[in-house]
Amino acid sequence: MVSWVAAELLSKGLIDGVAHVVPTDPAADGRFFDFRISRTPAEVREGARSRYYPVELSRALAEMRAVPGRYAVVGVPCFIKAVNLLRAEDPVLRERVAFTLGLFCGHMKSARFVESFAWQLDAPFGEVRAVEYRRKDPDRPANWYTAELTLADGSRRWQDWWHLVDGDWGAGFFQNSACNYCDDVVAETADVSFGDAWVEPYSSDGRGTNVMIVRHPEVAALVSAAIGEGRLSLQEVDADFIAETQAAGLRQRREGLAYRLRTAPPALPLRKRVAPGGEGLPLRRKLVYRSRKWISAGSHRVFALARAWGWRGLYLRWARYSLRLYEAATYLRGPLGKALRRLEP
Ligand SMILES: Cc1cc2nc3c(=O)[nH]c(=O)nc-3n(C[C@H](O)[C@H](O)[C@H](O)COP(=O)(O)OP(=O)(O)OC[C@H]3O[C@@H](n4cnc5c(N)ncnc54)[C@H](O)[C@@H]3O)c2cc1C
Ligand code: SF4
């Protein structure tokens, strides 16, 4: 849907380019993805799919400054907010960034997540040339994520996320630490934002279903026209429906954020919409938030140690046990989960 809107803006002549994330050749500089400015609908479509990979925008911004035109920028909520702050200060970018297209965001992963895929798929990391975080398969529910690596010899290896030690998204493996203090799930400052409809029956539909929040009249007109012409199938939903699709993300950024703010480092600029709190949360909710934060911090450190010592088992074992703790608190799974259930009122 993001690619569709971006391509539509281009083909209607409303913009000259789209800054978005595309796959790159890791043999060149070790990176699997980077921002690029695409100038045709075909180029835009090359960037489709979600990339849980750290990227940076400075070269795309420099190109927008250097080459006159109107641009759209695609990004996660914090990137869109940063672009808007820059637009407030920089008259050239204020004029040239015509639209911002935001992605709903749970959290960002570090580049090591790809390396961990390679370890678990028994693929030599130096041979990995491409990564898909969510391989498309219309015959399987959209929320069954499958990671896929393509190697230099053209062969492919894949595995469902739930068979990976760090494949439970909610556990927060390799999460960027800034995401612990983020309060924007739906890219609130973007002209239009997009997410996945994580509610039934949509989450079981292998083709995937988007939710979209339109805040810009020109995008709204574009979408209405395409619906009228039968080129787009969209139903109007209310804010509660959108919130329901992001229930877990919103819980983590409201209730969870309040709880984490109690112990936030004092140096952080933390003016948030929720105040520190959460003292009265049930023990299990506290354990979920604590284990998630512990896993996100620990995964970077233990992976770095395992890498330095050439001992993958260190990380893989640590991740397996950490996941058990998280699953006990979250889903009451395993012997520890049973014990926790007994403590529930
Ligand atoms: C880190 C991350 C976390 C996410 N968390 C959630 C979530 O919690 N809930 C939810 O509903 N949706 C989440 N999404 C968004 C969701 O995965 C889809 O990206 C969104 O629904 C758009 O899908 P689409 O099929 O319409 O986009 P497509 O047509 O496939 O286009 C995706 C566009 O996004 C661009 N893109 C991909 N990754 C990045 C990136 N890292 N930075 C900037 N641009 C990028 C691509 O270049 C492409 O233009 C997340 C996405 C990312 C990248
Ligand atoms: S969770 Fe927030 S801080 Fe983290 S990548 Fe997403 S928008 Fe940025």
Side-chain angles (χ1 to χ4, degrees):
M1 190 71 200
V2 178
S3 305
W4 184 88
V5 169
E8 195 76 358
L9 288 168
L10 270 174
S11 47
K12 299 276 181 227
L14 292 168
I15 51 171
D16 303 293
V18 182
H20 68 142
V21 171
V22 294
T24 53
D25 181 3
D29 63 358
R31 301 189 53 78
F32 285 90
F33 301 97
D34 206 354
F35 263 96
R36 175 182 85 186
I37 297 192
S38 292
R39 293 178 183 274
T40 64
E43 280 178 12
V44 164
R45 281 189 283 271
E46 286 169 14
R49 312 267 176 98
S50 302
R51 317 302 189 180
Y52 309 118
Y53 191 86
V55 283
E56 68 91 28
L57 195 53
S58 65
R59 269 175 296 115
L61 290 170
E63 186 176 333
M64 285 184 234
R65 274 203 196 89
V67 184
R70 282 164 63 84
Y71 296 93
V73 178
V74 182
V76 290
C78 54
F79 272 53
I80 297 296
K81 184 169 156 192
V83 167
N84 282 327
L85 289 171
L86 200 56
R87 274 160 122 190
E89 284 187 2
D90 182 328
V92 176
L93 287 176
R94 185 156 56 241
E95 189 196 307
R96 293 186 186 171
V97 177
F99 297 96
T100 50
L101 278 51
L103 307 176
F104 290 13
C105 185
H107 62 261
M108 181 55 82
K109 303 278 188 193
S110 89
R112 297 286 174 249
F113 194 35
V114 180
E115 212 165 326
S116 173
F117 284 167
W119 286 6
Q120 294 176 74
L121 299 186
D122 210 16
F125 184 60
E127 296 295 305
V128 178
R129 292 292 175 272
V131 52
E132 275 310 336
Y133 291 91
R134 291 162 60 179
R135 192 169 74 153
K136 282 262 183 210
D137 185 346
D139 297 329
R140 303 180 78 207
N143 55 359
W144 291 11
Y145 287 13
T146 305
E148 181 181 85
L149 302 178
T150 305
L151 305 193
D153 63 5
S155 64
R156 289 165 199 264
R157 298 185 191 187
W158 60 87
Q159 185 54 279
D160 291 330
W161 280 41
W162 66 69
H163 292 307
L164 301 173
V165 293
D166 36 22
D168 185 322
W169 175 272
F173 283 93
F174 298 107
Q175 183 200 279
N176 189 324
S177 58
C179 306
N180 278 321
Y181 302 105
C182 175
D183 61 2
D184 186 354
V185 178
V186 299
E188 293 172 32
T189 71
D191 294 325
V192 48
S193 21
F194 306 83
D196 295 314
W198 290 144
V199 282
E200 292 299 347
Y202 307 105
S203 38
S204 293
D205 185 338
R207 293 167 301 170
T209 307
N210 278 129
V211 285
M212 179 176 172
I213 305 174
V214 184
R215 307 185 183 93
H216 193 295
E218 277 183 277
V219 180
L222 207 78
V223 167
S224 300
I227 294 173
E229 291 157 15
R231 292 190 294 124
L232 192 63
S233 165
L234 269 186
Q235 288 165 287
E236 196 163 326
V237 293
D238 60 15
D240 288 342
F241 180 87
I242 303 261
E244 205 187 320
T245 68
Q246 305 301 312
L250 286 165
R251 219 168 20 243
Q252 163 80 349
R253 308 289 172 75
R254 296 293 181 268
E255 182 186 275
L257 174 59
Y259 187 60
R260 285 186 299 279
L261 283 173
R262 295 166 71 229
T263 52
L268 284 181
L270 292 174
R271 205 150 47 86
K272 298 288 163 189
R273 75 190 76 192
V274 294
E279 292 83 354
L281 282 177
L283 170 72
R284 195 148 75 81
R285 287 306 313 156
K286 290 181 179 171
L287 283 176
V288 170
Y289 295 129
R290 278 181 186 262
S291 58
R292 199 173 272 160
K293 195 170 169 208
W294 183 71
I295 287 175
S296 63
S299 51
H300 301 292
R301 293 184 194 129
V302 180
F303 195 90
L305 267 183
R307 210 168 173 251
W309 292 346
W311 180 21
R312 298 173 182 195
L314 173 68
Y315 169 74
L316 296 175
R317 249 171 250 158
W318 175 87
R320 210 165 280 128
Y321 288 120
S322 304
L323 184 65
R324 273 187 209 156
L325 284 178
Y326 174 78
E327 289 183 338
T330 310
Y331 315 118
L332 294 173
R333 229 174 249 164
L336 188 59
K338 273 192 195 140
L340 283 173
R341 190 192 297 271
R342 269 185 237 120
L343 291 176
E344 298 246 284

